[in-house]
Every structure is written in C-alpha cells, then in structure tokens.
Amino acid sequence: MSEVGRRAVTPLTAWSKAEEGGAGRAVSQLPAESQEVRGTEVGGPEDLICRGIFQIEKRSCDVVLTSSRLKWTPIEPESLAGYFPKRPKFLKIIINPHSHKKEAKQVYYEQVAPLFKLADIKTDITITEHEGHAFSVLKECDIQAFDGVVCVGGDGTASEVAHGLLLRAQTDARRDIDSNFMPVRAPLPLGIIPAGSTNVLSFSVHGIKHPCTAAMHIIMGNLQAVDVCSFSSRHRLLRFGFSAMFGFGGTTLALAEKYRWMPSNQRKEFAVIKALTNLKPEDCELSFLPTENAHMADQKGKRNEDERNTIEQCNEDKWQTMQTHFLNISVMAIPCLCSMAPRGLAPNTRLDNGSMSLIAVQNSSRADFIKHLKRYGNRQNQFDFPFVETYTVQEVKIRSKIDCGWTDMESEENADFHSRHQSVISPKGSCPWNVDGDLMEGTSEVHIKIHPQLITMYGRNIEEFDDHTVKCSCLKSLGSGHTRT
C-alpha cells in the first residue's frame, strides 16, 4: 500500500465490495477483453476484494485489490477509427440553393454542418449558381484531396453530381465515352443530403427523407455500392443516371418544368392532371436483353474487355423486341422509393443487384391507367394489369416510330419563358425523357445499359420501407371527372 501512498489517487467511482455475487457484477461492467486480461493478472475473480476506477497522476485507471496485491491499469480511450475505418475527414460539399423551396442552404447550415463539426470533418463548400455548375466544379477540382463528395438538394442535383463524378472517372482513366466502353468506378463516395421535393435517391439509400440521418451515414462512413445506368444514342454517351421514364413520365416532367412560376406542390399536381387529360400513347419499338447470372458476373468486373465483347456478341440472339403503343416506359436500376410510392417505383430491383427493372405500360383506357398509378401508393400490386408488363433486364433500346413532338393545348401566355427547359415543349421530334427528375431531350432513340456497383454512396441497402401511406395529393385528387376515355 505504500506504493499507492506515494501517488495522487482520486476515486472516480465507489469501490465494488466483494460481497456474494458483487464481484461478478463489478467485473461484468467492464469490456469483455478487459475482463479476460485483468482476470488473469489478479489470479481470478475469487481473489477479488474490491475494484473501481481511480485517477492516478491525472490518468483514469482500473484499480483492483485482491488478497495478495493492489494493481491498476491505465484506461485508454476508444478509437473511433477502429469502429468506423471509412469515416471521411475532408468532404467536398455542393449545395443547390434553388432546390424545392430554396431551403437547401438552411438545411445544411442548421442541421448538417453542426454534426460535421462535432465529428471533426473538414469541408470545402460550393453553392451552385446555375445549371451545370456542379459538373464544372467536379471537372476542375483536385478531387483526390477529398474523402467524399456531398450534395445538398433534390434528385436533379444528386444526379448531376453523380454524372460529374463518373465522367471525371472516365476522363482520368482516358476512356473513350463515345464508343461501346466499359466505364470505371467513381473515384469518391457520394453523400446525399435531401432537400428536394421527391428525393428518390435519398429515400432509396436511407429509407427516409431526413437530413440528419443522411449526415450520420456520412459521419460513420457507411458505404453502399449502387448500380448505375448509361444512356447513349447512336454510340454517343448522353449521361449516367439511375432511372428513366418515357411517355407519361417524361411529359409530366416537361409540363412541370414549363410552369415553374407556380408553387412547387401545385405545379406537380397540375402537371399530372394535365398530362392525364391529354394522355396519348407513343408508337415505339422496345427491345431488351433479359438478365442472366453469367452476364451479371461478367458485369461485376470479373472479365476483361475482349471477353466481355465476346459475351455481348453471343447475347445478340437473346434480345426480345416488341413494337406497339405505350403510355409509359420505365427503366430503373434502383427501387426508387418516395413518399408517393413507399414500396418503390421499381420494388423488384435493388441498389446493387446488377440488373434493371423494365416496366412497360401499353395502351389502355385513362381510367385503368389511373388505377395503375394509384396502386403505387399502397400495398396492392401496381403491375397486376393486363396492359402492364415487367422484366428484369441488362440492356434496353427504345426507338420512337412516330413524330414525338407535342404541343400545349392551352394558351402559353402564362408560361415561364425564361425556363431552361422551355425548348422541350414544342419542337417536333423532341421526345421528353425524365432521367432522375431531370429532362433529357433531343433524341428519339436511346440505348440504356446497367453498370453494376459503378458508384458508392453513403448509406445502407433498404430492403423494405415500412410507411405505406401515400403523401402525394395529386393521385388522391383524381376523381371521376378525369377518368373518361
């Protein structure tokens, strides 16, 4: 005991007296690895008289008194790196101040930035000023200086940043993107802080639209590989993305963009109802290559370029083609969860399963098509209609067989003529595509391919979303007045 007398010993906890069962309770409160080491040192729990945490020379120590000795061991703090080895230290932040209700800056600075500061994460922030600004930043910045890229905004912002990351990867790898190429993975993980109206990407990787939840996934370094689609036309890459809709989905988005002078929620509901009022089928040739496990293994990078070309030549005979009138065609590499479709627009696919979900809605009455749309908001099978066909595919080719031009049937005096998407409303031969909530225009022939696990996102794979309540009033409000054929 004289050794203890020569040191400054301050009790931090009360001694645990070795009464009947007491020693076992005291030891069990310590980490399992500590029990094993210290039990050996003191000769077993039967020799224990008392135990506690004391401060010795300004260090917290585990102090044990047995019948033969007094022993203490410094308590070392836990290392976060051991638990979260992939947690970022320096992030590139891209904020779209115009997303949804222009609340992205407020969401970041009030909810997310304080968490990053507590986690000792350094940031470099860019607030975008125009369309394509995020893409330009990713093209020019020293991307290797960061541990990840985080975007604050809606699906359009997230898609633009993902596209920028992937194009940067192809440029750095010297890939010829205007050919039949095998893309390389994005160089950095992508984090999405939801601040848009639908936030399909955020819902799909987090299961919820919640900025703090998204921030915590980033802080802890939770990483999830995600499949990506490439969209090309005549061997020219148009963009990378996660989902696309042609027909009703593209037309609805084009209308919503045209009437941007309206409040966000009203604009979406108006676009849906107007697109349904003017609903018409598109004459298209749809070709697709069904998914096969052997090809999926190849797509995950287990074969070289020559072997891949050989496999693709063999698959030419496996393409299936149909030519008919379609009301809507959806191609999705992710489940596309959102408040309007809590089970997902494509519930039969996953974030990283190496395949796409093809949903082809053929011509039907307006009433039946509305029934199909309404089922996205509940537990009923939205595909259980004779005019809806679903496939699991690797590639899709869509070619419009008629003039895709369409015009507004009402006066355009209220249109926002400064909208960046005004040109897609009237030109003949321009078929509007909805790609991740953004318009892709200028082509009537598109080739879509799946690229498994091409990008990594902060988040976790969400197998099922529990809240099955529709929160989009535009589908609820569709009454009998809009169901005439």
Side-chain angles (χ1 to χ4, degrees):
M1 298 296 291
S2 60
E3 185 176 2
V4 176
R6 291 195 298 268
R7 299 177 182 269
V9 181
T10 305
L12 295 181
T13 64
W15 282 101
S16 301
K17 295 184 179 181
E19 299 174 352
E20 183 178 356
R25 289 196 298 271
V27 174
S28 67
Q29 293 172 357
L30 294 169
E33 58 182 2
S34 301
Q35 295 176 34
E36 180 181 354
V37 173
R38 287 153 194 162
T40 302
E41 291 175 346
V42 300
E46 66 275 7
D47 297 324
L48 184 66
I49 296 176
C50 51
R51 185 175 196 172
I53 300 174
F54 279 72
Q55 190 174 44
I56 303 177
E57 293 182 345
K58 297 183 180 181
R59 296 188 65 182
S60 296
C61 297
D62 176 25
V63 182
V64 179
L65 177 64
T66 70
S67 57
S68 61
R69 68 171 73 180
L70 174 67
K71 196 167 184 69
W72 59 89
T73 305
I75 299 175
E76 300 295 336
E78 299 282 0
S79 173
L80 284 178
Y83 287 95
F84 310 112
K86 297 180 181 179
R87 63 189 304 267
K89 298 180 180 178
F90 189 23
L91 294 171
K92 178 64 185 177
I93 311 293
I94 298 176
I95 303 174
N96 180 359
H98 302 292
S99 290
H100 192 34
K101 298 179 181 178
K102 301 183 178 181
E103 57 191 9
K105 289 174 63 177
Q106 180 181 359
V107 166
Y108 177 77
Y109 285 110
E110 293 184 4
Q111 300 184 48
V112 178
L115 295 177
F116 285 171
K117 184 177 181 180
L118 287 173
D120 198 25
I121 295 177
K122 297 180 179 179
T123 59
D124 181 76
I125 301 173
T126 294
I127 298 177
T128 59
E129 300 175 356
H130 52 80
E131 181 185 7
H133 190 181
F135 177 81
S136 300
V137 168
L138 293 172
K139 182 180 179 181
E140 302 295 337
C141 73
D142 181 11
I143 204 165
Q144 298 301 325
F146 304 103
D147 299 313
V149 176
V150 175
C151 63
V152 187
D155 288 322
T157 304
S159 182
E160 180 181 342
V161 172
H163 176 63
L165 278 172
L166 287 166
L167 271 190
R168 175 64 183 266
Q170 312 319 308
T171 300
D172 292 346
R174 300 181 183 276
R175 294 296 173 99
D176 180 7
I177 62 173
D178 288 334
S179 64
N180 186 21
F181 73 110
M182 180 186 293
V184 298
R185 289 172 57 87
L188 296 177
L190 171 62
I192 303 174
I193 305 296
S197 55
T198 54
N199 303 285
V200 163
L201 284 169
S202 179
F203 263 113
S204 296
V205 295
H206 304 140
I208 190 173
K209 177 192 172 181
H210 193 255
C212 292
T213 297
M216 290 306 299
H217 279 297
I218 296 169
I219 290 170
M220 293 187 292
N222 293 335
L223 299 179
Q224 169 65 48
V226 179
D227 300 339
V228 178
C229 303
S230 63
F231 298 84
S232 59
S233 181
R234 297 176 177 85
H235 301 292
R236 180 176 64 90
L237 178 69
L238 300 176
R239 64 178 296 164
F240 291 103
F242 302 93
S243 65
M245 288 185 285
F246 175 79
F248 173 77
T251 301
T252 301
L253 179 62
L255 280 167
E257 291 296 335
K258 177 182 177 181
Y259 292 94
R260 292 187 69 87
W261 54 270
M262 300 175 69
S264 177
N265 291 336
Q266 294 180 21
R267 183 173 72 244
K268 289 192 298 182
E269 294 181 14
F270 174 80
V272 169
I273 294 174
K274 189 173 180 63
L276 285 171
T277 301
N278 299 325
L279 185 68
K280 64 167 187 164
E282 301 285 357
D283 186 5
C284 298
E285 180 181 275
L286 173 64
S287 302
F288 59 91
L289 181 63
T291 295
E292 292 185 4
N293 292 334
H295 189 80
M296 289 173 63
D298 156 61
Q299 289 282 356
K300 291 181 180 179
K302 297 182 179 180
R303 300 181 186 271
N304 60 32
E305 189 88 20
D306 293 335
E307 291 174 311
R308 176 174 172 268
N309 291 335
T310 301
I311 290 175
E312 290 184 347
Q313 291 174 5
C314 295
N315 283 332
E316 286 298 322
D317 296 333
K318 300 177 182 178
W319 280 83
Q320 299 182 28
T321 301
M322 63 176 75
Q323 181 175 332
T324 186
H325 288 79
F326 296 94
L327 292 177
N328 191 71
I329 300 174
S330 300
V331 183
M332 300 181 176
I334 61 175
C336 293
L337 299 170
C338 62
S339 59
M340 189 188 75
R343 293 180 60 246
L345 298 175
N348 297 327
T349 193
R350 295 292 179 265
L351 293 173
D352 60 350
N353 64 351
S355 64
M356 300 181 293
S357 181
L358 169 62
I359 305 165
V361 182
Q362 299 183 28
N363 193 18
S364 69
S365 68
R366 184 181 293 109
D368 285 341
F369 184 67
I370 291 174
K371 290 178 183 178
H372 161 67
L373 295 180
K374 283 189 171 183
R375 285 196 181 182
Y376 279 96
N378 54 48
R379 292 180 179 271
Q380 289 183 287
N381 184 358
Q382 64 263 43
F383 309 129
D384 189 20
F385 292 93
F387 55 88
V388 179
E389 298 185 25
T390 61
Y391 306 90
T392 302
V393 299
Q394 303 163 15
E395 298 183 47
V396 177
K397 295 178 181 178
I398 301 174
R399 184 161 65 95
S400 177
K401 302 293 289 183
I402 61 174
D403 189 347
C404 295
W406 59 281
T407 58
D408 190 352
M409 298 181 65
E410 293 183 0
S411 170
E412 298 191 5
E413 60 183 3
N414 293 324
D416 178 9
F417 291 99
H418 298 288
S419 169
R420 67 174 189 262
H421 296 300
Q422 178 195 349
S423 62
V424 302
I425 301 301
S426 57
K428 293 289 183 180
S430 177
C431 303
W433 280 80
N434 180 341
V435 179
D436 298 334
D438 217 356
L439 281 176
M440 182 179 72
E441 57 178 306
T443 181
S444 59
E445 182 176 333
V446 176
H447 183 189
I448 308 171
K449 297 180 69 173
I450 188 70
H451 303 284
Q453 304 182 17
L454 195 61
I455 196 169
T456 301
M457 292 189 178
Y458 290 105
R460 289 290 173 86
N461 201 345
I462 305 300
E463 292 297 327
E464 184 175 356
F465 196 56
D466 293 326
D467 182 8
H468 294 278
T469 303
V470 127
K471 299 176 182 176
C472 180
S473 59
C474 58
L475 293 184
K476 289 182 178 181
S477 64
L478 295 175
S480 58
H482 302 292
T483 60
R484 293 177 297 172
T485 57

